[in-house]
Amino acid sequence: MAVAITRVKKSTRRSPRGRATNELVLSAQQGTNDGLFPKILALYVAPGSVVADVTYGRGVFWKRVPQEVYRLLPSDLKDGVDCRKLPYRSGQLDAVVFDPPYMHTPGGTAHVGHQNYESYYRNNVAESESGPKYHEAVLDLYFGAADEARRVLKENGIYIVKCADEVCANQQRLTHVELINALGAKGFIVEDLFVLLRNNRPGVSRVIRQVHARKNHSYFLIFRKASTKTRWKGIASGERGASAP
């Protein structure tokens, strides 16, 4: 009696997608704002997006970004545009960039090498004598700007925030943690954190006794406006890169 032999068909091996490379955007690097900023845009902001840089200043962030890639809307307080009261419609923008003076000056020259809050915002119309002071005033600026950014951003719009930690009145203030916690409660999802290490060694004159580590790095925080819980899947995967979990 003949026995039938059944041949088992081998499954075709799937070829892995993507390509092998070590040319990746890393979460921490030494360098300058204009070196890191284009890499952040490449990850989170699609070409052709409408981007408002609401603390544009001299445009340092954009020095290495080709002008034709994005529709840039630059503004600054010195031009009469307050980041807490922007001239844009609700839901108009794909991305907002915010890099304010992020340190207070406690009298003297402790932060002479940094943007300081008082020199830029102490005479702003939103300020009052009874308002917050020192580090709390800096946080108040960040929080007010975040509320306005959320208003003008489209759903799944990207909010890029520059900040740095500081020691205020001998108290360690981890600004990046404070911002992540506060903006999470405002309807933003934190998508990334970049650490930028400065090229030179910071110095300060007349140190009697050092009690805290000297800050020599800053952060770029990447937030996404989301009314529902979604996951970021990259700008190449569809409209603004978000999908349901």
Side-chain angles (χ1 to χ4, degrees):
M1 180 178 178
V3 178
I5 299 176
T6 303
R7 295 183 180 275
V8 179
K9 185 179 180 181
K10 288 186 177 181
S11 60
T12 303
R13 183 180 177 183
R14 291 185 62 182
S15 298
R17 299 176 63 185
R19 59 188 178 87
T21 181
N22 61 1
E23 295 298 321
L24 301 174
V25 178
L26 303 178
S27 61
Q29 60 184 270
Q30 185 173 18
T32 57
N33 289 321
D34 63 313
L36 176 56
F37 185 67
K39 299 176 183 178
I40 295 173
L41 292 178
L43 276 180
Y44 287 100
V45 184
S49 294
V50 180
V51 184
D53 187 336
V54 299
T55 46
Y56 182 77
R58 298 179 181 177
V60 173
F61 283 5
W62 299 89
K63 285 185 176 180
R64 303 189 191 183
V65 180
Q67 293 183 2
E68 68 275 7
V69 177
Y70 301 100
R71 294 174 56 194
L72 175 62
L73 304 176
S75 64
D76 204 282
L77 184 66
K78 69 180 188 320
D79 301 321
V81 180
D82 193 325
C83 58
R84 293 160 289 194
K85 192 175 181 180
L86 296 172
Y88 307 122
R89 301 187 310 276
S90 297
Q92 180 180 350
L93 306 177
D94 297 305
V96 173
V97 180
F98 185 52
D99 175 32
Y102 42 73
M103 291 184 175
H104 83 283
T105 303
T109 58
H111 299 312
V112 70
H114 300 271
Q115 289 181 312
N116 62 79
Y117 174 83
E118 283 78 4
S119 296
Y120 286 75
Y121 284 90
R122 63 183 176 187
N123 295 322
N124 191 273
V125 293
E127 295 294 301
S128 68
E129 289 299 320
S130 60
K133 305 295 182 183
Y134 307 117
H135 184 77
E136 301 305 326
V138 175
L139 288 181
D140 189 64
L141 171 64
Y142 273 101
F143 298 160
D147 289 336
E148 184 68 344
R150 194 174 193 284
R151 181 186 70 81
V152 300
L153 279 170
K154 297 177 180 179
E155 180 71 4
N156 294 309
I158 296 297
Y159 188 34
I160 302 173
V161 178
K162 181 78 185 295
C163 72
D165 301 334
E166 69 169 332
V167 175
C168 179
N170 289 329
Q171 181 182 0
Q172 189 75 249
R173 302 301 298 264
L174 300 179
T175 308
H176 76 286
V177 176
E178 294 173 307
L179 293 180
I180 289 172
N181 291 337
L183 269 63
K186 291 178 179 292
F188 284 100
I189 295 175
V190 61
E191 294 292 350
D192 228 325
L193 179 151
F194 296 86
V195 179
L196 183 62
L197 182 68
R198 61 189 293 177
N199 284 322
N200 60 327
R201 289 178 61 87
V204 62
S205 62
R206 300 183 182 181
V207 174
I208 298 175
R209 182 169 60 94
Q210 184 176 4
V211 294
H212 292 96
R214 177 71 173 180
K215 311 299 182 190
N216 67 333
H217 68 282
S218 56
Y219 302 92
F220 280 92
L221 304 178
I222 314 302
F223 297 95
R224 178 168 56 89
K225 172 184 172 180
S227 58
T228 59
K229 191 173 182 180
T230 56
R231 295 178 183 174
W232 176 256
K233 299 189 72 174
I235 60 175
S237 60
E239 182 67 19
R240 302 307 310 136
S243 67

